[in-house]
Each structure stands twice: as C-alpha cells, then as structure tokens.
C-alpha cells in the first residue's frame, strides 16, 4: 500500500468541494468522489441533483456509501500531510510580532508567504501548496501577505474591491459601479495601481534627490566644521604665540622698570655713602683735635702750652656742609613712560601678528596678458607691469581693458581667503585691489564697490585714498613701499596693509561677493617718466 501511495498525487485525494483531503469519501453513480458531508450539503441546497464535477443529473437522490478503500488511502495521505506539515513547520519561519501569520496553522503559527484575495486567507509555504498545484485554485489572486483581508471586501455588497473610483478616490466593487458610483470615472484597480506606482516612483526619485542633496549638505557642513576646526587651531596657536610674546614683553618691561628704579636708588645710596664717609673723616679729625686741646688745657707746663697754643687754637680744615644734602630721586613719570613704551612695543607686535595671520593665506599671483591695456608692458614671468608710451596692436578681445590702464591676474577666487603683496616703491601713483568678473572693461567708470571694484590708491595729488563712493582719504604714518592685499570671501572683507610697517591702513567690510574675484592692478600712466617704476608682485616673506 505504501509503495502504491507513493505513485499517487495528493490532489487525487482532495474533495473538489472543500478542497481538503477526503473525510468519509463517497462515490456518485458517475464515479466521482466527495466527502460525504460536502456532497450531502450540496444536494440539500441544489436540486436537481448534479455531480459538481461532470454535471451529470440524477433524477433520484443517489444512496451514498463510504468507499472504504479511498477512505483508507485518504487517511494515509492525511497522516503524511500532517507529518509533512510538522516537518516543514520546523524548517519554516515562525511568525514574529508584527508579521502576518498563516490562517490554516492550528499549532504554532508560521509566517505567511502569500494572501489569497478570493479565499480571504493567508498561507504559509505548506498551506499555500494547493493554490500552486490545483487548477481551480491557481486562478485565485495571490498577493504579498497582508493583515485584515476582510478590509479588501466591499462592506456594502460583500464583493472584492477590484475597481477604483477616481471621482471619489476610493476602492469599489463591481456592484458599486451600478449604484453609488454609476456615473463616476471608474478604472480597474491594477490600472490605478500602475499609475499611482509610477507617481510613487517619481516621488521616490525626488525624495532620493532630496536625500542626496542633504547628504551633500551634510558633507559640506562637515567640511566647513573641519575647516573651522583647522582655522580655530591655527588661530589658537597664533594667539598663544602672540600672547607669549606679549607676556615676555610685559615681563621684560617690568624688569627694566625695576632695574631703572633700583639704579636710581643705588646712585642715591652711593652719593649718601660718599658724603657720610667724608663727614665721618672730618668728625674723626675734629675729635682728635678736641682731645689734644683738652690735654693741653689741663697742662701746668707754661712753656709747653704757649708753644702748642698756635697750632691747636685753630680747627682743622673742614667742608662747609650747609648746602649739602641727599635728596631722594624722583620717580614721577617712570611707570608712565615704561607703560607708554610697552604699549608702543605691544602695538608693533600686534600689528606684526595680524599681518603674519593673513600672510598664511598667501597665493601665487601672475598677470594675465589677455586682460592688459595695450600700452602696458608685462614681464615674461607675469610678475611686473608698467606703463609704456607705445600702444601695441593687440586683439580687442572681450577680456582686455581699453581705454583703461588696467590688468587682472590669471587666478580667480570664489571662496575662502587669499593674500598677495605688491611692491610700489618708486611710484608716484598706483591702484591695487580686487575686482569682480563682470566689470565693464570697455568703458571708463568710477572704481567703487558699487561697480565691482574694491581698491586703494596713491592718487596724482600724492594722496592715499580708498575707492569708495565718495572716495575716503587715508592718512598713513609712513609711505608704503610694499602693499599687502587680503580677501576673506565668505566674511566679505578686503584689507590693505603697509607690509614694512606691518600696519593695516584700510578695510572694506560687509561686502557681499556673488561672483569670482580677480586681483586687480593699475600702474597708472608714466607722467613723463616720473611714474615709470613697475608694480611688482613680490614673494611673501612671513613677518617674524
């Protein structure tokens, strides 16, 4: 029996009414088998009596007897199925909280693999088998496992919600289209699903792009934080160095002040010691003379007294001390002078420290001949420019200045900080700074921030000015021979330094840079050779 059963398939022992293994199988006159309860209930409802499989009609209700052979075979298959279920249950995943469970599992609930929209049930791998093998069940619609399958049925008509009403934006059944949604725009659920899925795909793409942008923004912020940390570390190191130098200066000035005061005190003491020594010497001489006079006055030798009297009657030579005194030295103004000197020293050190701070952003700058006014003469290395008397025949490209006596650097800057130095020694007038990319190069206009220029200059009237509107006169303590230009793009700052004096002499603040910036140079015209010296882009020698 066991060998024969191995040749049979399980669907040969399934009742086509309940779709389960036969229970008390009976045979109809046409030869088909059913569960006794299933066929009995079927014929109780349906008259005339028909075979559910072949549709043969029986005019009298057949008398049914349990087929013992099929019953035994079915019992073996049921036992085998239970063993298989038990075995597969151990291999299949037991459902976890939140997962959909199999509705047919009677013991340990296994994780459902699919849900059937026809049966309104969810099945694990074992209980899903009939839907994958039996022809009648293969037509059922299977979906990924979901809870609350009853929610997919129309509560009004108890039919599957297989349509979508676009008018009311809701799922409906077929009967709904003949009643409440008769005139509405109704489409198959799958069609609306595909449309919505496409929109979700588009939305997901947009979301992914938003995620990517935010990730890039995070990376940008991390880079900013890292750059900020490096700047902070650099500033701390520079600050510690400056304050250490200031501390040394203060301690040195304090020591010098103490030495100065002590030296005055030592001189006073030395003077007093000299006077005291001299006075003590005179006192000694006077005491000696007093002793001699006392001895002579007590002598009874008339001759001796008379002989010695002339020499002892006069006091020994002494100094007139009436106008002599030791006056304490005056310390008035000593501390003030020391503090003033210290302030001057500290001011110089602070200026050097500030210049050293910006010099760390030094960049290599070279002149761009494509932008140079045709009368300008540039050195081969692009580091010098001066005005010539002959206008060269050069292409009038859009980048070239004409009729303005200007030239730009090749390098452009659109972020961060940069610094460069230019020698102006020997020049009677010049203009330096930075300019934005979109400046008008074919027209003479006022050089001001409003027109895209941030500059300082030595004018023809021998005056230093900042290129504002109106121009601001600058009063410099010394005549710069080398000018440093520093730009902080994000901070909106352009500063100018007298390098040799380590002095900041002007800053444009609160600038709003939106374009790339170019270092700007104007050597100005020769003025009969008086201004023939070139502007020279110099290497930065970091201030000690």
């Amino acid at each position: 029996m066991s060998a024969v059963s191995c040749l049979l398939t399980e669907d040969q022992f399934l009742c086509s009414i309940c779709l389960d293994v036969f229970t008390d199988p009976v045979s109809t006159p046409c030869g088909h088998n059913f569960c006794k309860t299933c066929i009995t209930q079927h014929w109780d409802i349906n008259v005339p009596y028909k075979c559910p499989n072949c549709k043969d009609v029986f005019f009298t209700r057949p008398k049914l007897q349990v087929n013992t052979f099929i019953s035994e075979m079915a019992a073996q298959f049921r036992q085998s199925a239970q063993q298989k279920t038990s075995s597969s249950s151990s291999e299949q995943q037991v459902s976890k909280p939140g997962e959909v469970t199999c509705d047919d599992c009677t013991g340990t609930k296994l994780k459902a693999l699919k849900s059937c929209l026809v049966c309104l049930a969810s099945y694990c791998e074992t209980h899903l088998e009939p839907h994958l093998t039996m022809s009648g069940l293969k037509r059922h619609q299977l979906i990924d496992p979901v809870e609350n399958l009853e929610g997919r049925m129309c509560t009004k008509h108890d039919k599957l919600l297989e349509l979508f009403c676009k008018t009311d934006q809701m799922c409906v059944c077929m009967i709904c289209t003949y009643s409440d949604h008769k005139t509405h725009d109704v489409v198959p659920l799958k069609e609306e699903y595909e449309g919505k899925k496409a929109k979700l795909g588009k939305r997901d793409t947009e979301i992914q792009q938003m995620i990517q942008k935010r990730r890039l923004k995070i990376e940008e912020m991390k880079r900013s934080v890292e750059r900020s940390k490096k700047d902070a570390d650099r500033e701390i190191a520079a600050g510690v160095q400056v304050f250490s130098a200031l501390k040394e200066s203060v301690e040195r000035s304090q020591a010098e002040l103490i030495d100065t005061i002590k030296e005055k005190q030592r001189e006073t003491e030395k003077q007093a010691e000299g006077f005291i020594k001299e006075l003590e010497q005179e006192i000694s001489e006077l005491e000696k003379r007093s002793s001699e006079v006392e001895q002579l006055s007590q002598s009874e030798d008339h001759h001796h007294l008379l002989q010695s009297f002339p020499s002892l009657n006069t006091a020994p030579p002494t100094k007139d001390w009436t106008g002599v005194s030791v006056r304490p030295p005056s310390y008035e103004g000593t501390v003030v002078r020391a503090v003033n000197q210290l302030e001057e020293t500290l001011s110089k050190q602070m200026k050097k420290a500030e210049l050293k701070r910006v010099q760390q952003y030094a960049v290599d700058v070279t002149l761009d001949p494509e932008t140079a006014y045709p009368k300008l003469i540039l050195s081969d290395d692009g580091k010098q420019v001066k005005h010539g008397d002959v206008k060269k025949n050069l292409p009038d490209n859009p980048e070239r200045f004409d009729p303005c006596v200007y030239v730009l650097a090749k390098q452009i800057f659109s972020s961060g900080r940069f610094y460069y130095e230019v020698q102006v020694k020997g020049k009677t007038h010049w203009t330096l700074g930075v300019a934005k990319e979109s400046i008008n190069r074919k027209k003479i206009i006022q050089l001001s921030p409003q027109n895209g220029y941030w500059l300082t200059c030595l004018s023809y009237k021998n005056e230093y000015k900042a290129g504002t509107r109106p121009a601001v006169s600058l009063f410099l303590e010394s005549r710069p021979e080398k000018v440093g230009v520093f730009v902080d793009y994000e901070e909106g700052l352009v500063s100018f330094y007298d390098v040799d004096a380590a002095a900041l002499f002007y800053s444009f603040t609160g600038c709003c840079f939106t374009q790339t910036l170019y270092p700007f140079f104007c050597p100005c015209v020769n003025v009969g050779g008086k201004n023939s010296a070139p502007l020279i882009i110099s290497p930065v020698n970091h201030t000690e």
Side-chain angles (χ1 to χ4, degrees):
M1 175 69 73
S2 176
V4 174
S5 65
C6 294
L7 300 175
L8 300 174
T9 60
E10 186 174 351
D11 57 356
Q12 292 176 290
F13 294 91
L14 295 179
C15 171
S16 59
I17 296 176
C18 68
L19 302 177
D20 203 349
V21 178
F22 291 128
T23 300
D24 297 332
V26 294
S27 298
T28 59
C30 58
H32 293 107
N33 300 302
F34 304 95
C35 294
K36 184 176 181 179
T37 302
C38 292
I39 192 62
T40 299
Q41 292 177 349
H42 180 75
W43 284 342
D44 286 345
I45 298 171
N46 298 287
V47 179
Y49 312 115
K50 291 183 181 179
C51 173
N53 284 358
C54 65
K55 309 303 181 185
D56 279 0
V57 177
F58 311 112
F59 296 101
T60 59
R61 185 166 180 161
K63 186 177 181 180
L64 301 174
Q65 297 291 331
V66 175
N67 188 321
T68 56
F69 175 76
I70 296 177
S71 179
E72 291 176 358
M73 293 292 293
Q76 289 191 18
F77 270 103
R78 185 177 289 106
Q79 183 179 3
S80 175
Q82 290 175 347
Q83 292 175 350
K84 181 179 179 182
T85 300
S86 176
S87 174
S88 62
S89 295
S90 63
E91 296 176 359
Q92 296 181 60
Q93 294 183 2
V94 176
S95 64
K96 299 176 182 178
E99 292 180 338
V100 179
T101 60
C102 176
D103 292 323
D104 280 7
C105 287
T106 57
T108 302
K109 291 288 186 179
L110 299 182
K111 179 181 177 181
L113 294 183
K114 292 290 182 180
S115 294
C116 178
L117 293 179
V118 178
C119 301
L120 296 180
S122 300
Y123 303 104
C124 64
E125 182 179 355
T126 300
H127 293 114
L128 183 65
E129 185 67 22
H131 280 77
L132 304 178
T133 58
M134 296 186 64
S135 57
L137 295 179
K138 284 182 179 180
R139 293 192 294 271
H140 290 194
Q141 186 177 355
L142 299 176
I143 61 172
D144 289 335
V146 293
E147 294 281 4
N148 190 25
L149 283 168
E150 292 78 4
R152 296 174 181 264
M153 301 296 290
C154 177
T155 56
K156 188 173 182 179
H157 304 109
D158 199 26
K159 296 293 182 182
L160 183 65
L161 297 171
E162 54 186 337
L163 301 173
F164 186 82
C165 177
K166 302 182 75 172
T167 305
D168 292 336
Q169 290 292 300
M170 62 184 295
C171 297
V172 297
C173 70
M174 183 63 72
I175 299 177
C176 289
T177 62
Y178 298 101
S179 55
D180 297 341
H181 302 268
K182 185 175 182 180
T183 59
H184 294 180
D185 183 9
V186 178
V187 297
L189 206 61
K190 185 176 181 181
E191 179 180 330
E192 185 65 18
Y193 161 82
E194 294 295 340
K196 288 292 194 294
K197 185 178 180 181
K199 288 184 179 180
L200 286 175
K202 183 178 180 182
R203 174 59 62 189
D204 184 55
T205 301
E206 294 173 353
I207 292 173
Q208 290 302 321
Q209 291 174 349
M210 293 170 67
I211 291 172
Q212 185 62 21
K213 286 181 180 179
R214 280 150 182 79
R215 284 176 176 165
L216 292 174
K217 181 60 68 175
I218 289 173
E219 291 302 317
E220 177 187 329
M221 289 180 176
K222 286 182 178 179
R223 288 194 297 271
S224 296
V225 170
E226 184 64 26
R227 186 167 60 248
S228 174
K229 185 178 182 301
K230 290 180 180 178
D231 290 345
D233 291 342
R234 185 166 50 241
E235 288 298 315
I236 289 172
V240 170
Q241 186 175 0
V242 169
F243 276 94
S244 296
L246 294 179
K247 182 180 178 182
E248 290 176 3
S249 296
V250 171
E251 291 174 348
R252 186 165 53 250
S253 296
Q254 176 182 297
E256 291 174 356
L257 172 65
I258 293 172
D259 287 344
T260 300
I261 295 173
K262 285 184 175 181
E263 181 61 29
K264 285 186 177 182
Q265 176 63 19
R266 280 194 294 270
E267 290 177 359
T268 301
E269 290 177 355
K270 185 177 180 180
Q271 183 187 39
E273 286 174 359
F275 288 155
I276 291 170
K277 185 176 182 180
E278 192 174 348
L279 286 167
E280 287 176 344
Q281 182 66 34
E282 288 186 357
I283 290 171
S284 177
E285 292 294 331
L286 290 171
E287 286 177 344
K288 181 180 178 182
R289 178 62 53 89
S290 174
S291 177
E292 291 175 348
V293 169
E294 184 180 357
Q295 288 179 5
L296 183 62
S297 64
Q298 294 177 358
S299 174
E300 294 181 358
D301 186 346
H302 302 159
H303 182 269
H304 176 67
L305 186 149
L306 293 174
Q307 289 292 328
S308 303
F309 179 80
S311 60
L312 298 177
N313 187 42
T314 58
T318 58
K319 182 178 179 179
D320 183 5
W321 293 93
T322 305
V324 179
S325 64
V326 176
R327 291 192 177 93
S330 173
Y331 300 109
E332 186 69 30
T334 303
V335 176
V336 173
R337 285 191 296 272
V339 171
N340 289 339
Q341 185 177 359
L342 176 61
E343 287 180 348
E344 184 179 348
T345 301
L346 296 183
S347 177
K348 289 180 180 178
Q349 289 184 350
M350 289 298 294
K351 289 178 180 179
K352 288 182 179 180
E354 171 61 17
L355 181 59
K356 185 176 182 180
R357 185 186 71 82
V358 299
Q359 283 179 330
Q360 65 184 324
Y361 299 104
V363 294
D364 185 22
V365 174
T366 53
L367 302 168
D368 184 0
E370 297 299 318
T371 66
Y373 173 63
K375 281 191 177 182
L376 294 181
I377 300 173
L378 276 62
S379 61
D380 293 339
D381 62 0
K383 297 295 184 180
Q384 300 185 28
V385 58
K386 63 181 180 178
H387 186 268
D389 295 323
V390 180
K391 188 172 184 178
K392 298 185 287 293
N393 185 19
L394 298 173
D396 188 22
N397 51 285
E399 295 81 14
R400 191 178 305 283
F401 287 100
D402 194 357
C404 304
V405 191
Y406 310 151
V407 60
L408 299 177
K410 293 180 179 180
Q411 291 72 24
I412 61 175
F413 303 92
S414 58
S415 64
R417 305 178 180 100
F418 63 94
Y419 172 85
Y420 62 95
E421 294 179 352
V422 183
Q423 180 179 306
V424 296
K425 183 179 179 180
K427 296 196 67 62
T428 59
H429 36 284
W430 48 262
T431 304
L432 293 171
V434 293
K436 67 181 182 181
E437 186 176 16
S438 64
I439 51 176
N440 192 324
R441 308 186 188 196
K442 304 299 181 182
K443 184 179 179 181
I444 298 177
I445 59 175
Q446 183 180 5
L447 302 181
S448 67
Q450 290 81 356
N451 293 325
Y453 298 89
W454 293 267
L455 314 167
T456 58
C457 70
L458 174 59
S459 72
Y460 292 101
K461 296 181 180 180
N462 200 32
E463 295 177 342
Y464 291 98
K465 292 182 176 293
T468 57
R469 184 188 293 176
V472 173
S473 296
L474 306 176
F475 302 97
L476 279 61
E477 294 182 2
S478 59
R479 192 179 184 91
E481 294 188 351
K482 187 182 291 185
V483 175
V485 182
F486 171 70
V487 177
D488 187 329
Y489 193 97
E490 284 74 20
E491 190 68 22
L493 174 70
V494 182
S495 296
F496 298 86
Y497 294 84
D498 179 346
V499 176
D500 296 322
L504 170 68
F505 62 85
Y506 191 76
S507 287
F508 291 92
T509 59
C511 309
C512 183
F513 300 128
T514 57
Q515 300 182 18
T516 52
L517 299 177
Y518 290 83
F520 173 95
F521 306 84
C522 174
C524 300
V525 297
N526 273 335
V527 193
K530 294 181 181 179
N531 191 40
S532 60
L535 291 175
I536 303 174
I537 301 172
S538 307
V540 175
N541 295 319
H542 297 276
T543 305
E544 296 298 332

